[in-house]
Amino acid sequence: MKTIPPICPEPKVGPKYWRSLDQLADTPEFNEWVEREFPSGASEFNDPVSRRHFVKIMSASFLLGGLGLAGCRRPEEHILPFSKMPEGYVHGVAQYYATARPTRGSAVPLLVKSHDGRPTKIEGNPNHPSSNGGTDAFTQASILNLYDPDRAMRFTKSGSEKSSADAFDALADISKKFQATGGEGLSFLLEQSSSPSRERLQKVISEKFPKVRWFIYEPVDLNVERQASAIAFGQPVAAEYRLENAKRILSLDCDFLGAEENAFRSIRGFAKGRKLETPNDEMNRLYVVEGIFSITGMNADHRLRIRPTQIPALAARLASEILKGSNLTGLSDLAGSFKGDEKWISETAKDLLAHGKNSVVLAGHRQPLAVHLLAHALNDALGSAGNSVVYHSISQANQGSIKELTTALNANEVDTLIVVGGNQTYTAPADLDWSSAVAKAKAIVRLGYYEDESSVGATWHLPAAHFLESWGDARTADGTFVSIQPLIEPLFNGVTELEVLARIGGLNTTRPLDIIRETFQTISPTNFEEGWKKFLHDGYLEKSAAQPVAAKINFGAISQELSRAKSPAAASELDIVFHRDYSVDDGRYNNNGWLQEMPDPITKVVWENVIMVSPATAKSLDLRVLKNRKPDDLKNNDRGVVAGNDIVEVELNGRKVQGAVWVQPGLADNTVALALGYGRTKTGRVGTGAGYNAYLLRTSDSPWFASGAKIRKTGEMRRVVSTQEHGSMEGRPIIREGNLEQFKAKPDFARNMDLEAHTPNAGPIYKHPYNSSPELKSKVHQWGMSIDMNSCVACNACVVACQSENNIPIVGKDQVERGREMHWMRIDRYYAGDVSDPQVANQPMLCQHCESAPCETVCPVNATVHDEEGINVMAYNRCVGTRYCSNNCAWKVRRFNFFDFNKRPNNFADTSKGAFGKLYQGPLAKKEPLEYDMIKMLKNPDVTVRMRGVMEKCSFCIQRIEGAKISQKVKAGASGDVAVPEGTFTTACAQVCPAEAIVFGNLLDENSRVSKLKKQERDYAVLGFLDTKPRLTYLARIRNPNPLMPDHKEYPASFEEYEKSNGESGEPKHEMNGAAHGEKGAI
Amino acid sequence: MSEVTTVKVQAPPPELARQPLVLNNHSFAWISDKISGLVEGKTQKWWWPAFIISASVMLMMFSCIAYLISTGVGVWGLNQPVGWAWDITNFVFWIGIGHAGTLISAILFLLRQKWRTSINRAAEAMTLFAVVCAGIFPVIHTGRIWFALYPGFLIPFPNSNSIWPQFRSPLLWDVFAVSTYGTVSLLFWYVGLVPDLATLRDRAITKGRKFFYGLFALGWTGSNRHWSNYEKAYLILAGVSTPLVLSVHSIVSFDFAVSQVPGWHTTIFPPYFVAGAIFSGFGMVLTLLVPLRTLCKLEDVITVRHVELMCKVILATGSIVGYAYAMEFFIAWYGGNPYEKYAFMNRAFGPYWWAYWTMISCNVISPHLFWFKWCRTRMWFVFLVSIVVNIGMWFERFVIIVTSLHRDYLPSSWSYFKPSWVDICTFIGSFGLFCTLFLLFMRFLPMIAIAEVKGVTAQADPHHPAGGAKGEHH
């Protein structure tokens, strides 16, 4: 369960004490007495010798203090801790503060852990009305950006360093200059934001400078949704999907579980519809139509692989089935151009219609306006509005696009350009020739988090503050007003967007805190001070969520747009799809090592982007993925067997990029997928050398797809590094899947797979110590975990959360290539079925905490042992690093420190130096002090930082367990009730999971969620036949295909593979359960 | 002594006559001169270049080890899931080689195989040096060698934390097995050396030699009492060593057999490993002695018959190894465990097929050439096959360790192992260490047991027509 914050402390007014009547009267005599007598050294200031001494001592101590107290920077403003402190601050006890991470047009409500004034871990805010405490990988990793040694650290004017005061003077000068002209020639280029304060400031500035112009640019622009709803409903509304109410979901290229905004919310809603307590529970069904393989596609019950340019036609075709009788003109023309599986469409339409308001259609941000309009029309026809989708009104400011700004720049209409955030020189559409256009502005003031591509040529460059260093506000997807409060004073004096706007606007209040207080006052004027404190404490304003509005669809406007929709490209043409990257977003996380090393959920590629094509397209273009390997062979591609992948050049309208080919099963044929965000020319030590730049091909007219690409082989080959190179399960029952019907017919099908069902066994080869000495085991706690693979969508949040919680180092591309990644938790991805259009199954894999652990008996030094609560623990101090435990672990979840990853610098994305890289120089190479110190501040002080030569692995977050036990013991006092109650704490992976697929708890508590889940019939242990009795068990995945669909199969592909390799028919013959024969479990 | 009585004994019929163990009816004096001459005489021309090369290669290994320890195990090619590769392969390879020496000196001694005398000293020395080479790898393969060697971690030692090593771990059994084996082998070798050290002491012409050989000869006079004690000690040590020959490699095989990795977890391992060890050990003895008998002109002492006998041992143990390979496959199929089945199919036809088939051709096919006398009696041929056997046995360990680990239970972790230059140089360097030690041994100590060889000549047999006391005293 999630960390539940205690209630907000009531303000206390205690008695005031006075020393004397004089003080009470505040007489001048008393004040003089204090002046003279109290500061004992004050008079010595007149003595030159002792003053010198004093200054010497003080400067020395300031120096020491400055070095040693780098982690103790507290914001000077009064911020409110989340927890109630009994007697002020307790050293070493972490505090939680509620804040939020602003995203484009939305925010993620957070609860951030702070150790001694250093933020160390980000969690979701479980009290927020639309959050269960889950977050996403970006949010988890964003804390690493705070301590990024490459972030902008100075104020510069034309490249030379200046003080912040100089910079603020320059902003004041700009303000003064444009006051005279009413803002003529002053333009702002901003990023998308949901901040009410920014909106207010923009309004104030616009009033003050009527001629000022505002532009917004987001490389991953989600504005199409707003545009579509404005057209469809004739008013600016935002659609909020309530997937928990949806029984049938159709995604039109909408990766709502991955690349769309607020995926963590959608995952939560989607997962709710997939929880099965009993075989008779109802389950949602997901239809996905897409060209590239997305996270949503991996979770689909029916996935239609289709070129993305075909999707408008498909949507029209579907609409013509559902909107029979409506008078949408242009629909039949567009529908007529659809070429594909008619039955797939008609059966989907029938299924959606049958579920009426419980079905919902989503359109992805890559799709053109027409698809979004059709989705609105379909939802309207199905009656979903008010149930699985609600609309609430939003304010629509009149802001220009980057294209309009370029025109203005080229017409010399922009005198001073204020660029806040973004990295336009890198991300701007290639056809705009942004860098030469922007050079036409006379002065550019840029607020940037990095000194990157866009910093070049800026007159003034100001370092931006991280959101954990800033005051701010935002609105989450449901419209709830959330606060952003700093946990640490800006490390490098970074400033916020609000401050820059306020200073340029020449406003009286320039402190961001005051700005948001003013905004808060306008939103919640009653009982201001108390409300403000509660707002900061809770992190959100109660009941501020947007109210649903009744929106009436305007078919006329839709018809008009439909007629403008393009018909699909010719079949022979090669389409390009640009997509937001799961690791680096649009490039903003390019210098984030955790995200760079986080395997892509589908390809498992790290540290770069690849040029993805389908197996058939690769074959037709004669692209080799690996020497001697057929492109459609998913098996023999282990690391190092082969030379590498072809490096190809993709050409589109004369623009070219080069990258390594990746053959992706399930991709639409004749489609090339290019991920954005890599190939940066000016970035930090982490991102340099990672991937190619797909922006070079992207134009403002078609930012997401383009037809008519050409691929040319360069003749070179290179290895593409991925963490999982064997994609097939080989018929092994590792991930056990069944269809819903199969599950209903035989609820315990998962337990009747694998050897345990067939062979009576003689008990484990490694005996459990509790069985011989039962007195060793705890009668209070026995920990266990359950992972529901039916709700896990493989979003990777747990992988990064674990990395953040447990001080797991990154190892760099070269080391991942050598198979030495350190993740304690990984997500295994297996393909099954037809290689061109496979089914995918995912499985979070971490230490299984076996009761009869094979690793423990083989360790010669007792470094890995069982504790009394059933956890397989590592004593790092004991470990000599024989790696025998890892060899004997059937799940291969142990990780070995091959180098001193924490002390050595790294090549990161660069593999060219290979065995001569910095890691290989041993003690001769040390991390640069700045990098070492900054990364050090990030570490969780409750977890040991491991040195080289030590084996490590998941500990079920033992630090959290012990923390909870200590608190409970303190609370229990003499009562002796030391059992930690359910819901007090959980592991990092379980806490972050928006799907609540990972559940951790006490198995001795019959009522704990984990105990109940383990009693379900879907529960099984991976490799259970080894009889090691893992404490981590899985709930089998259930697919919910529609029997009427043309691609329906009776069993999931992986189940068929299992049956085939085990040579049996669908019905398991043996009813025996292996566990019944072996040694009895310890609990 | 004036009168010498000779006893006439009928010579055995020619078809029963065995080839003598020392050819050309050499006298005791010749044997002493010949073997001591190798130590006392001028350094042979080939020795210095051989020594310099070996010592340089050995230094290369020590540099690699220094690099490894200072930088981390990552300088090797190991990865996840292949946590052991060349390190443990080399360990098992060298410890296996060590087996021939003790087998020759102990088991053949107890079985009264007199032909052992010409080769046992060199074979025992080889054993010791192989154990030295073997001992290095498990120590340096640990991530934190400074703790591995610290008392209380791997070495049992009472400590304030009351933590003992984990006695259930086969790695700890290895520590005891290998150290016991090394100690007993050293004692056995040294006890056998004592009479010969005394011979060298007595023949010494420089003070230094007299002192050093005298020091280690422990005051040996050759008295009846000395001989009587010596024989008893030798017999006891042979008795102690015999089970060790079988136990050490059995225990080494437990490193694998006790685990649950498919391809490791098999009960056939102990006998199969012991047979393999003897197989590789005899291979190494031949690799060393076949060229040496020519270089040192010892053809009369290490005769073709000796070589042939060793070839026959190779043939026998090689056949056992081949049988074990076949049996592993049979059990993998018969056992019905799909993971096991996959592991063996993957060995033969997976990414490491080349290693598997190298092993099969070297270990299963090549020894069967020794059915032919022609093959057993051509020294260049025997030498070649002995090298092939060693290559094959290295690959056997590589195949067992790496191919089992690289693809085990969950296909998501499957990977491939490639050695780094440090892996390769450390392994080659271990041959440098081995050769350096062996070259020093043959330069400073009698390579053949002088006293024992004399004992098996015809002259030493009073019942032999050529035997009896012929008036020469030595």
Side-chain angles (χ1 to χ4, degrees), chain B residues 377-390:
Chain B
T377 50
R378 296 295 175 285
M379 288 305 117
W380 62 269
F381 192 86
V382 171
F383 180 67
L384 275 183
V385 173
S386 75
I387 288 188
V388 165
V389 163
N390 277 313

Side-chain angles (χ1 to χ4, degrees), chain A residues 246-248 352-353 355-361 379 382 384 388:
Chain A
K247 294 282 168 241
R248 296 292 179 266
L352 291 175
L353 273 171
H355 286 81
K357 67 169 191 169
N358 288 329
S359 41
V360 66
V361 180
N379 284 332
L382 293 167
S384 329
S388 47

Side-chain angles (χ1 to χ4, degrees), chain A residues 638-639 732 766 818-820 828 856 858-860 862 876 879-884 888 892 894 920 948, chain B residues 67 69 74 76 78-80 83-84 87 141 143-144 164 166 169 255 258 260 407-409 412 415-416:
Chain A
D638 293 6
R639 298 173 222 246
R732 298 177 178 186
Y766 309 108
R818 290 160 201 267
R820 296 169 180 174
D828 290 345
E856 289 172 16
V858 298
C859 172
N862 266 323
Y876 298 124
C879 179
V880 301
T882 65
R883 302 180 294 286
Y884 198 176
N888 205 26
K892 292 286 175 283
R894 293 179 153 262
Y920 288 82
R948 74 179 164 95
Chain B
Y67 177 47
I69 294 172
W76 282 345
L78 298 174
N79 61 27
Q80 187 74 28
W84 289 346
D87 45 359
H141 102 289
R144 302 200 296 176
W164 289 92
Q166 230 263 74
S169 170
D255 284 352
V258 166
Q260 60 173 7
R407 289 185 166 186
D408 65 344
Y409 289 101
S412 61
S415 187
Y416 193 79

Side-chain angles (χ1 to χ4, degrees), chain B residues 109-130:
Chain B
F109 176 77
L110 295 180
L111 296 176
R112 313 269 158 110
Q113 294 296 310
K114 289 183 176 169
W115 58 276
R116 63 177 273 283
T117 52
S118 302
I119 53 169
N120 77 330
R121 171 72 43 73
E124 283 173 44
M126 179 199 79
T127 290
L128 278 179
F129 306 146

